[in-house]
Amino acid sequence: MKRILRIVLRALLVLVLVLAVLAFWKRAEIVRLMAVNSLFSAEKIVGNFSHMDRLFWTRALPRGDGPVSPLPEGAPIALPEGADGWIRDRSVTAIVVLKGGRIVHESYYLGTGPEDLRISWSVAKSFLSALFGTVVAEGKIASLDDPVTQYAPLLKGSAYDGATIRQVLNMASGVAFNEDYLDFNSDINRMGRVLALGGSMDGFAAGMKDRAAEPGARWHYVSIDTHVLGMVIAGATGRDPADLLDERIIKPLGLEAEPYYLTDGEGTAFVLGGLNLRTRDYARFGQMILQGGQWQGQPLVPADWIAASTRPSAPGGALYGYQWWIPENGPGDFMAHGIYGQYIYVSPRRGVVIAVNSADRGFEEPGVDEANVAMLQAIADRAAR
């Protein structure tokens, strides 16, 4: 009888331990889901954008043991008239302006500082574009007109079956995707919940079955397109895109601090929007791009790829290249742009790079993008004097 009682007690103890582990796992899952739902709330958004590693799975991109690349100080500039109101209204958290590779303005707001690792959102797409150019240059991808399924066979039978790499680079995949950040049930928010709950981003992409248009027929901004480009890189090289970015761009740039990616539950980097860097390090990347892919005498990204990426090539006259935006009224200028007010604005004719981080909950209001670009161009003009 005592032996049976001991067995029962042991079984109960094991059951309690199993339930405790399950409760902890579910608690972590619930915490992440709650974090997604309150990520952009007025009282949390600024702090969340500096501490995304507290809310999601992440993976570090080691900066290496090399020295920090210098960003010497230049002659300081005052921001143009109206900048104070713009900073307040758009909840700007950081501005770094480079002229000729020198810092001519640097400022932080809303309790943030130069050490904060700020979330990139879709600015990360332009980092992946730069990496894509290195893969093309080494001949791992035969042609941009190859179908994406040639390198990412998991996408066969999905809405991406039949789309070419070039079409996906141009955001012209034709895939039906609701990018409305304010709609709880939109595709972009469903994707966010997949990320938070540890699902598979590859599986999410392969699960896209509907088309809004034939591939290449029209430009339509679809964030999951960029994840597909990451799948293409992985298939073409047999390497993890995050590891390649770290090896080919992050380490050689000599960043001030180790950046990180948000990841899904399988450790796959959220390449379409999950980079987290210091604002000065965003500016370093922009300066490298302005210099035609050169950094401290070392070629990191092919100059011809940068030239092709940063000119309008999307169908229908859209001002979009290969994961880069081209502003109106800014000849030769281009920019990386993310939701809630993230920018790397590059003006080769002025020799100016501007990195901006924000926590702008009103970013989708009419005229906001145009006003932001106008201010960035005014800052670039001031820096170029």
Side-chain angles (χ1 to χ4, degrees):
M1 185 69 182
K2 288 182 179 180
R3 182 173 178 272
I4 293 172
L5 183 60
R6 283 197 300 269
I7 292 171
V8 170
L9 288 174
R10 286 172 184 168
L12 286 173
L13 179 60
V14 169
L15 179 61
V16 168
L17 289 172
V18 169
L19 289 174
V21 169
L22 287 172
F24 177 81
W25 177 78
K26 282 296 182 183
R27 178 182 177 277
E29 185 179 79
I30 291 168
V31 166
R32 287 192 177 92
L33 186 58
M34 290 175 63
V36 169
N37 290 337
S38 63
L39 184 60
F40 310 114
S41 64
E43 67 277 10
K44 294 183 178 181
I45 186 171
V46 173
N48 284 344
F49 281 15
S50 287
H51 302 287
M52 298 294 284
D53 55 335
R54 298 176 183 174
L55 308 175
F56 294 93
W57 281 277
T58 65
R59 60 183 292 183
L61 298 179
R63 67 165 302 282
D65 55 7
V68 174
S69 59
L71 283 181
E73 292 186 5
I77 65 163
L79 294 179
E81 183 178 354
D84 289 345
W86 172 72
I87 290 165
R88 180 190 64 248
D89 294 343
R90 303 274 58 91
S91 299
V92 173
T93 52
I95 305 172
V96 172
V97 183
L98 307 182
K99 165 62 177 172
R102 295 176 175 270
I103 295 179
V104 296
H105 177 87
E106 182 174 13
S107 54
Y108 299 89
Y109 310 93
L110 299 177
T112 66
E115 290 78 30
D116 287 39
L117 294 170
R118 298 293 292 180
I119 181 69
S120 64
W121 298 124
S122 289
V123 164
K125 292 178 170 68
S126 300
F127 279 75
L128 194 75
S129 174
L131 177 63
F132 209 94
T134 70
V135 174
V136 171
E138 67 178 332
K140 295 293 186 180
I141 292 171
S143 169
L144 295 186
D145 297 313
D146 288 342
V148 293
T149 52
Q150 181 174 328
Y151 303 92
L154 183 64
L155 298 172
K156 290 180 179 178
S158 76
Y160 283 99
D161 202 341
T164 68
I165 294 170
R166 190 186 310 276
Q167 288 162 349
V168 176
L169 280 164
N170 276 153
M171 293 286 185
S173 66
V175 171
F177 192 87
N178 181 351
E179 193 92 4
D180 185 352
Y181 297 90
L182 303 181
D183 178 357
F184 180 82
N185 294 311
S186 68
D187 294 307
I188 194 72
N189 285 327
R190 286 196 308 108
M191 184 181 71
R193 292 191 288 277
V194 167
L195 193 72
L197 296 177
S200 166
M201 287 293 297
D202 286 359
F204 183 86
M208 303 301 296
K209 301 298 184 182
D210 297 329
R211 281 185 178 161
E214 286 302 304
R218 64 182 178 90
W219 179 83
H220 175 59
Y221 191 85
V222 171
S223 278
I224 196 65
D225 279 4
T226 311
H227 182 79
V228 167
L229 295 175
M231 295 174 72
V232 169
I233 290 173
T237 65
R239 299 280 308 279
D240 185 289
D243 290 341
L244 280 179
L245 183 75
D246 185 53
E247 175 186 302
R248 298 181 180 186
I249 293 176
I250 297 300
K251 283 189 175 77
L253 275 177
L255 302 184
E256 293 181 11
E258 179 177 272
Y260 64 87
Y261 263 125
L262 308 185
T263 75
D264 67 10
E266 298 178 347
T268 301
F270 189 52
V271 295
L272 65 89
L275 267 177
N276 295 258
L277 285 82
R278 290 185 179 181
T279 308
R280 283 194 294 255
D281 288 338
Y282 285 118
R284 282 181 169 88
F285 173 77
Q287 184 67 29
M288 180 269 291
I289 296 294
L290 180 146
Q291 294 170 181
Q294 297 280 327
W295 190 249
Q296 297 186 316
Q298 181 181 358
L300 304 188
V301 182
D304 58 351
W305 176 262
I306 292 174
S309 300
T310 58
R311 62 172 179 253
S313 56
L319 295 176
Y320 198 78
Y322 297 159
Q323 309 285 293
W324 288 91
W325 296 84
I326 295 85
E328 288 188 284
N329 306 317
D333 295 358
F334 52 90
M335 60 187 181
H337 176 28
I339 57 171
Y340 294 91
Q342 325 312 319
Y343 292 91
I344 301 175
Y345 192 93
V346 182
S347 181
R349 60 197 167 96
R350 301 182 181 97
V352 171
V353 172
I354 307 168
V356 173
N357 293 120
S358 306
D360 182 11
R361 298 173 75 241
F363 74 98
E364 286 193 309
E365 294 172 1
V368 167
D369 281 344
E370 293 81 358
N372 286 346
V373 171
M375 179 56 67
L376 293 172
Q377 291 174 340
I379 294 171
D381 284 340
R382 182 65 61 92
R385 290 179 182 173

